[in-house]
Amino acid sequence: MHLLLVDGSGYIFRAFHALPPLNRKSDGLPVGCVQGFCNMLFKLTQDMDGDDAPTHMAVIFDAKGKTFRDDIYPLYKAQRPPAPEELIPQFPLTRSATRAFSIPSIEMEGWEADDIMATYACMARKAGFKVTIASSDKDLMQLVEPDGSIRLLDTIPRPGQPPLRWIGPDEVFTKFGVTPDKVIDVQALCGDSVDNVPGVPGIGVKTAAQLITEYGDLETLLSRAEEIKQPARRQKLVDNAELARISKRLVTLEQQVPVEIDLDGLIRQPMRPSALFPFLKAMEFNTITKRLATLLEANPDDFEPDATLAANTDTPVPGAPQRSTSLSVAKAKLAANMVPGSGPARHAAEEHARVKAIPVNYDSYETVTTPEALEAWVKKIIDKGLVAVDTETTGLDPQQADLVGICLSTEFGEGCYIPVGHRKSGDMFEGGEGLVEGQLPIREVLDTLRPVLQDKAILKIGQNVKYDMEVLTRYGITLAPIDDTMLISYALDGPRYNGMDVLAEHWLNHKTITYSELAGTGKNQKTFDQLEIAEAARYAAEDADITLRLWHVLKPRLSAENVTTLYETIERPLAPVLARMEARGITVDRQILARLSGDFAQRAAAFEAEAHELAGQSFNLGSPKQLGEILFDKMGIEGGTKTKTGAWATGADVLEGLAAKGIPLARTIVDWRQLTKLKGTYTDALPNYINPRTGRVHTSYSQASVLTGRLSSNDPNLQNIPVRTEDGRKIRTAFVAPEGKTLISADYSQIELRVLAHIADIQALKDAFEEGLDIHAMTASEMFNVPVEGMPSDVRRRAKAINFGIIYGISAFGLANQLGIERGVAGEYIKTYFERFPGIKDYMDAQKARVKADGHVMTIFGRKIQFPNANSGNPSERSFVERASINAPIQGSAADIIRRAMIRMEPELKKAGVEADMLLQVHDELIFEVPEGTEDQAIPVIKKVMEGAAEPAVRLTVPIQVDAHAAKNWDEAH
DNA sequence: CCTGCCCCATA
DNA sequence: GTATGGGGCAGGA
């Protein structure tokens, strides 16, 4: 028994590249490839004839669409150009050709041809077959068997070489330097630039083969990577272990594809003139027709050309065996990836168990107070190639806090604390005087550690490393490269377990010492420099120890759960970018804010007096409770609603309603609230955030707080600076460029609607964006049959609300509230919208189904957004999850896009020779500071980076538009 | 002094 | 209808 498997897709591309480009038949259909394909197929069967002729045969093709490999690594084969246009109609024709030759043609959605071939080869070998795979694809070399039961056959003509070249174990060894069973391990390390398999950067086939030969296999190599002598090579492997594991999964062929045809279905059939000649004649392949006519002793004139083949169809050839029609099997997830017992998942589980089993031992921690001890730690770090680092400081503001100590750990269960800034508790007014004795001088410690902290070959692991980076930057140390357990956890599980204490509790079942236990709480809480060194050391060294443990638990999960790409391409590189933005800060004009505060205070006081007058009594306008009682109890206004705790609702929408009903007090309160809000939250608060050292305001971005992947900003929050009202915008005028500089604001136009159009594949929306239309007006025109020209503003406003509603997972209830209309009317609007844009409903239903089935939805860049209560018994909770699951991929994909833009921005600006400092991010907007007069150089670069940020990982099917303006303050630049 | 609630600023 | 952070009030320590 002998099975011949033909790599059909390989044959097509070979035919395409080997033959003169445009060979068309008389009706213009390009068929050059089909012709080449037929010739090669025919020649192969002729060449294989003889004593050892195949008894079974099939041609296997790649199916359209994604495979499980795209889930593992979205960049897989990402840089492949799309198939040439003239090739596209020829794909189905090659299937028809195969069937015309009475050979089964097999392809399955969700799998590559290689997987199907691997499956058949494996099946056949077990059944005692000999297997030949006609392909020169090196990825198939992993299937070669030492006993010769599976071989490849390379039939590409090469000058000076025999037409048929067998590839057995020896040939594989020549190519990869290892036996066939180790080929995947080698490929995992060296990668493949053609298919975009990453491998370990900087490791080629030779090095890979040498490493695998020495360590036996990939997993052993990775677990013992720290033993490698060459520092650079060791570091590459330690850093990129997960990438290697991913690569291995990408190159490993699946041998368990659920094929529908068994081996008996592949028994060779004689060529049948009734199948063959109608096809060949339709294709107008005269030469091969003649040759086959001779061979089969048939007369082609007895057959009519198959008319169905004149067009571009995949109609089966009449008379061809039924079983050989193409298969289309629904994409199924590979069992191997789901089972916890398999490769990366098992590795992750084992690491978790190993780390968890070792209890925290505070006695094992060391306090470093001598140069010798410090040197010993440096040596340990160099030997190990990685270190967990944590800094202890006097406060929480990374732009102000002073360094008090550094903790390190190279081996979990161990750790040290290096105190450098503990102060004596001297007189209480000065807050202490002088350093506690017995600490190494801070300069000496930093100078000793600097080489390892900046060493490219030593990985620094931290929890919320951005903080430590900012502190250390102020002491002249650039911490790099880094890994961050908080960000790894965020990439895996979202913001669910933020904070090291929660992570330690959850993953290690260990309660860490809390800072309150150590330093007290409230206004008497000690700052870190006031703590006893011995006490501080336990807490601090534990931080480093736990961080390293968490890293060992969490890092392997990245590859086991297909999150490596997200982490490596978005989260990890973003942290240093944010650190620099925070360090730069932005100039805020104190005078402007002070003037505004005065103005707002005066006007608010007038409103307050007016309100007391109208209410007929004095009361606290800031108390919703008192206000509600006055409006609805004392004044007896009808129609008030209660909040869920039973208090009167007095929100702005309620008050607007009352004002419209002719209650002047309501309007007065709204106006008063607006002014006091602006004053309290902005004009009074912001000046307190001006850093005395830099004279600027430094917000802090949280990279790991938001479910959808957005950033959040706090202390102060610079992502909610007012913009909608005139008074509000005045606050923006206080955000200024310093002398000699200009601000640039660049914002994505309608990014979320564009993302929606792409994800949900809504042609009407895409067309509108392509044509640069006013999207809300277009929607209004579609929905209400009103021409865009001269459209009343209220019609557009309604459409705009609906568009936003769609993004938010619309409900009739919510839309009615927003527009102040009846529920029923809102329901009709939604119905009409779904009719006009039918794909939207499909998208929404798909997300709802997905979140129920998987417990998560995904952005286009593979960020998973978890909804643990997707199947909650509580109906309102469930509806909430449904709406959020509709919104999350849209908001999240947009968030991923701007994150990618931010990561690329600095290098691209530098490359373009443009000096521009990125200062702020406000979800769809980036703010820069540039030297005055260079705006026109900076803006095009900024726009280009932002507009192209999705590429090449995702090719968006809508244009992305960024608007950018320059001015001296944020209000005018926006 | 801490916490929950209400309200409101942004995308 | 989505996602946040923060100020002020009120109530319970």
Side-chain angles (χ1 to χ4, degrees):
Chain A
M1 306 280 240
H2 183 184
L3 170 64
L4 172 62
L5 295 167
V6 180
D7 177 3
S9 297
Y11 266 45
I12 297 173
F13 284 99
R14 181 146 28 105
F16 178 74
H17 291 294
L19 294 168
L22 283 174
N23 190 358
R24 292 171 187 274
K25 67 191 184 89
S26 48
D27 64 0
L29 189 67
V31 291
C33 272
V34 185
Q35 186 172 24
F37 180 86
C38 289
N39 283 331
M40 286 191 288
L41 199 56
F42 176 59
K43 183 164 186 306
L44 178 68
T45 53
Q46 296 297 101
D47 288 343
M48 292 287 287
D49 247 356
D51 293 346
D52 200 18
T55 54
H56 296 63
M57 182 172 177
V59 181
I60 320 287
F61 295 96
D62 288 324
K64 274 189 293 214
K66 290 188 157 197
T67 72
F68 68 94
R69 293 187 176 85
D70 297 290
D71 290 338
I72 298 175
Y73 190 70
L75 300 181
Y76 178 67
K77 294 195 174 176
Q79 85 302 15
R80 283 238 167 141
E85 206 175 316
E86 67 270 25
L87 200 47
I88 291 167
Q90 302 192 62
F91 287 124
L93 291 174
T94 53
R95 275 67 163 173
S96 300
T98 307
R99 292 190 294 268
F101 278 89
S102 295
I103 301 168
S105 147
I106 297 174
E107 62 193 277
M108 291 172 73
E109 257 179 55
W111 278 278
E112 295 185 35
D114 288 0
D115 297 311
I116 301 171
M117 288 192 275
T119 300
Y120 276 121
C122 176
M123 261 163 74
R125 179 171 181 267
K126 281 186 191 147
F129 282 55
K130 181 175 160 182
V131 181
T132 299
I133 301 174
S135 173
S136 36
D137 186 344
K138 64 184 180 321
D139 292 342
L140 289 161
M141 290 189 182
Q142 61 185 268
L143 298 173
V144 168
E145 288 291 337
D147 63 4
S149 57
I150 302 180
R151 291 189 295 173
L152 306 191
L153 182 62
D154 182 5
T155 58
I156 297 183
R158 291 183 211 275
Q161 296 200 24
L164 297 184
R165 289 175 308 281
W166 291 99
I167 298 170
D170 294 346
E171 288 76 13
V172 173
F173 194 90
T174 309
K175 172 96 188 164
F176 282 107
V178 290
T179 51
D181 57 316
K182 302 291 184 204
V183 163
I184 49 177
D185 288 353
V186 168
Q187 286 182 293
L189 292 171
C190 63
D192 178 354
S193 57
V194 177
D195 290 345
N196 220 22
V197 173
V200 173
I203 292 200
V205 180
K206 287 226 171 95
T207 311
Q210 187 194 326
L211 287 165
I212 293 300
T213 305
E214 187 175 343
Y215 288 86
D217 60 68
L218 181 70
E219 218 38 74
T220 309
L221 168 66
L222 294 177
S223 67
R224 293 171 54 196
E226 281 146 11
E227 298 170 17
I228 294 169
K229 295 287 172 292
Q230 302 90 327
R233 187 177 295 180
R234 176 183 65 218
Q235 196 50 41
K236 277 178 207 156
L237 285 162
V238 169
D239 267 1
N240 297 293
E242 305 314 316
L243 223 44
R245 291 197 180 96
I246 293 256
S247 302
K248 180 162 171 178
R249 291 171 63 195
L250 289 175
V251 300
T252 302
L253 297 182
E254 175 54 41
Q255 305 190 353
Q256 305 287 337
V257 177
V259 291
E260 287 197 351
I261 300 177
D262 60 15
L263 289 172
D264 287 346
L266 307 186
I267 293 172
R268 273 187 86 182
Q269 307 288 325
M271 280 189 273
R272 300 184 322 160
S274 61
L276 201 48
F277 292 112
F279 174 81
L280 294 174
K281 288 177 80 172
M283 291 291 111
E284 301 166 9
F285 296 162
N286 297 326
T287 313
I288 192 168
T289 303
K290 276 183 207 150
R291 287 179 61 188
L292 280 161
T294 314
L295 188 77
L296 298 178
E297 295 172 354
N299 181 4
D301 296 339
D302 295 345
F303 303 94
E304 287 299 309
D306 180 351
T308 63
L309 293 173
N312 170 21
T313 62
D314 192 14
T315 317
V317 179
Q322 268 306 303
R323 60 158 194 281
S324 63
T325 49
S326 295
L327 289 181
S328 176
V329 173
K331 174 183 165 183
K333 291 217 168 164
L334 269 194
N337 291 331
M338 312 299 291
V339 176
S342 75
R346 192 182 58 217
H347 173 72
E350 284 168 358
E351 279 293 279
H352 184 197
R354 184 170 77 95
V355 177
K356 204 174 166 179
I358 298 179
V360 171
N361 176 9
Y362 293 95
D363 297 333
S364 69
Y365 299 150
E366 175 188 350
T367 304
V368 173
T369 55
T370 66
E372 295 73 28
L374 185 61
E375 280 299 342
W377 270 92
V378 168
K379 188 171 175 309
K380 256 210 294 210
I381 293 168
I382 293 170
D383 286 348
K384 195 78 186 173
L386 61 84
V387 59
V389 184
D390 189 31
T391 57
E392 303 298 346
T393 61
T394 53
L396 296 173
D397 178 354
Q399 290 304 316
Q400 288 220 261
D402 292 323
L403 194 60
V404 179
I406 297 173
C407 17
L408 307 168
S409 173
T410 56
E411 196 87 56
F412 59 79
E414 296 174 9
C416 77
Y417 179 57
I418 312 162
V420 294
H422 288 260
R423 295 187 167 270
K424 293 176 190 162
S425 51
D427 66 51
M428 48 212 301
F429 300 107
E430 293 291 316
E433 39 156 52
L435 293 168
V436 173
E437 284 93 23
Q439 303 178 82
L440 286 169
I442 184 164
R443 276 294 135 213
E444 186 181 326
V445 170
L446 293 174
D447 289 343
T448 310
L449 289 179
R450 184 176 290 107
V452 291
L453 295 183
Q454 301 195 150
D455 190 330
K456 284 198 190 102
I458 296 171
L459 183 67
K460 271 69 68 173
I461 301 161
Q463 163 76 12
N464 190 14
V465 187
K466 172 160 68 69
Y467 181 87
D468 307 278
M469 292 177 81
E470 286 179 64
V471 171
L472 289 172
T473 297
R474 288 169 30 225
Y475 290 86
I477 290 177
T478 310
L479 197 69
I482 57 104
D483 232 350
D484 191 330
T485 48
M486 184 179 80
L487 297 181
I488 296 172
S489 170
Y490 179 61
L492 289 164
D493 301 317
R496 202 156 17 140
Y497 321 103
N498 254 332
M500 200 181 70
D501 45 349
V502 182
L503 284 168
E505 174 105 52
H506 185 266
W507 293 108
L508 307 173
N509 197 23
H510 170 75
K511 274 195 164 49
T512 51
I513 305 173
T514 69
Y515 190 66
S516 307
E517 279 165 29
L518 202 65
T521 100
K523 71 173 163 60
N524 295 319
Q525 189 172 61
K526 290 181 187 166
T527 52
F528 210 92
D529 55 327
Q530 298 167 321
L531 299 174
E532 290 294 328
I533 289 176
E535 283 295 300
R538 290 163 59 83
Y539 170 91
E542 180 189 38
D543 273 4
D545 178 14
I546 295 292
T547 300
L548 190 56
R549 289 171 193 247
L550 288 172
W551 185 76
H552 278 279
V553 173
L554 296 173
K555 188 92 197 258
R557 286 184 56 212
L558 287 175
S559 89
E561 297 173 37
N562 300 334
V563 188
T564 307
T565 308
L566 178 78
Y567 175 70
E568 293 293 338
T569 62
I570 297 188
E571 303 304 346
R572 185 154 80 138
L574 184 61
V577 175
L578 293 177
R580 287 188 285 274
M581 289 169 68
E582 292 179 10
R584 287 179 198 123
I586 186 165
T587 300
V588 172
D589 188 323
R590 213 186 267 280
Q591 312 294 325
I592 294 178
L593 292 178
R595 269 204 301 276
L596 286 172
S597 273
D599 177 42
F600 293 158
Q602 246 180 11
R603 289 161 56 199
F607 284 125
E608 186 173 5
E610 187 181 309
H612 289 162
E613 179 86 10
L614 287 166
Q617 71 172 88
S618 171
F619 69 103
N620 184 350
L621 302 216
S623 165
K625 185 165 170 282
Q626 294 181 30
L627 174 64
E629 281 159 8
I630 288 191
L631 287 171
F632 301 109
D633 294 332
K634 180 170 171 254
M635 295 172 66
I637 294 169
E638 298 291 312
T641 56
K642 299 274 182 92
T643 67
K644 60 173 178 279
T645 53
W648 289 111
T650 67
D653 49 338
V654 174
L655 296 181
E656 287 290 352
L658 295 182
K661 287 202 316 197
I663 295 164
L665 176 59
R667 163 71 46 209
T668 309
I669 300 287
V670 168
D671 292 340
W672 178 88
R673 275 195 185 156
Q674 140 111 301
L675 290 170
T676 51
K677 169 79 175 180
L678 295 179
K679 180 171 183 290
T681 308
Y682 303 104
T683 56
D684 288 352
L686 279 172
N688 300 325
Y689 284 101
I690 297 174
N691 182 310
R693 178 176 61 86
T694 64
R696 291 165 68 103
V697 172
H698 307 261
T699 184
S700 173
Y701 287 104
S702 174
Q703 196 185 335
S705 294
V706 181
L707 198 65
T708 54
R710 278 190 177 177
L711 299 178
S712 79
S713 156
N714 58 276
D715 302 305
N717 182 354
L718 296 187
Q719 288 181 325
N720 71 345
I721 302 301
V723 71
R724 285 173 212 202
T725 65
E726 197 190 327
D727 279 325
R729 276 195 300 277
K730 291 178 185 163
I731 293 164
R732 289 201 170 209
T733 65
F735 288 77
V736 296
E739 196 57 40
K741 302 270 186 157
T742 304
L743 292 182
I744 292 173
S745 159
D747 70 299
Y748 284 105
S749 158
Q750 308 286 5
I751 181 93
E752 294 194 345
L753 277 176
R754 289 174 200 260
V755 165
L756 171 69
H758 170 82
I759 303 184
D761 194 20
I762 311 299
Q763 198 55 47
L765 282 181
K766 291 193 205 173
D767 291 346
F769 282 123
E770 203 68 58
E771 291 164 35
L773 300 183
D774 173 340
I775 199 73
H776 299 314
M778 184 285 277
T779 308
S781 156
E782 278 288 324
M783 289 212 33
F784 303 116
N785 290 315
V786 176
V788 171
E789 290 293 314
M791 174 179 292
S793 68
D794 187 63
V795 174
R796 184 177 180 279
R797 185 184 67 86
R798 275 182 290 164
K800 186 174 173 182
I802 295 166
N803 277 334
F804 277 100
I806 294 297
I807 292 172
Y808 298 154
I810 202 154
S811 76
F813 179 83
L815 184 62
N817 263 345
Q818 176 68 33
L819 287 177
I821 57 177
E822 291 297 314
R823 270 265 274 295
V825 180
E828 285 302 315
Y829 283 3
I830 295 170
K831 206 171 135 225
T832 310
Y833 191 98
F834 286 160
E835 281 163 14
R836 290 287 187 276
F837 307 99
I840 297 276
K841 184 86 170 66
D842 297 338
Y843 164 77
M844 291 184 162
D845 291 341
Q847 295 309 314
K848 290 191 229 174
R850 189 120 308 279
V851 80
K852 284 189 170 65
D854 301 346
H856 67 255
V857 290
M858 226 187 266
T859 69
I860 51 177
F861 300 94
R863 180 189 302 280
K864 290 179 199 167
I865 297 132
Q866 312 274 356
F867 292 97
N869 51 356
N871 293 299
S872 156
N874 179 340
S876 75
E877 199 169 334
R878 237 174 21 236
S879 323
F880 176 78
V881 168
E882 287 181 356
R883 291 192 298 273
S885 71
I886 289 165
N887 172 259
I890 304 171
Q891 187 183 117
S893 299
D896 288 341
I897 290 173
I898 196 168
R899 282 187 182 218
R900 290 171 59 92
M902 292 166 74
I903 292 162
R904 274 193 227 166
M905 192 60 74
E906 292 176 79
E908 288 298 322
L909 288 166
K910 195 168 172 195
K911 215 164 77 185
V914 174
E915 188 192 328
D917 289 330
M918 186 159 61
L919 307 184
L920 302 179
Q921 188 251 40
V922 192
H923 308 309
D924 66 356
E925 176 187 12
L926 294 172
I927 312 291
F928 300 82
E929 196 173 82
V930 305
E932 219 161 18
T934 67
E935 303 86 346
D936 293 347
Q937 285 117 67
I939 286 177
V941 181
I942 291 167
K943 281 177 70 157
K944 185 157 175 252
V945 172
M946 289 175 75
E947 288 173 351
E951 317 259 352
V954 172
R955 161 148 253 138
L956 292 177
T957 51
V958 283
I960 294 295
Q961 188 193 317
V962 169
D963 302 316
H965 309 280
K968 284 301 281 186
N969 69 60
W970 190 3
D971 180 42
E972 288 165 38
H974 185 71

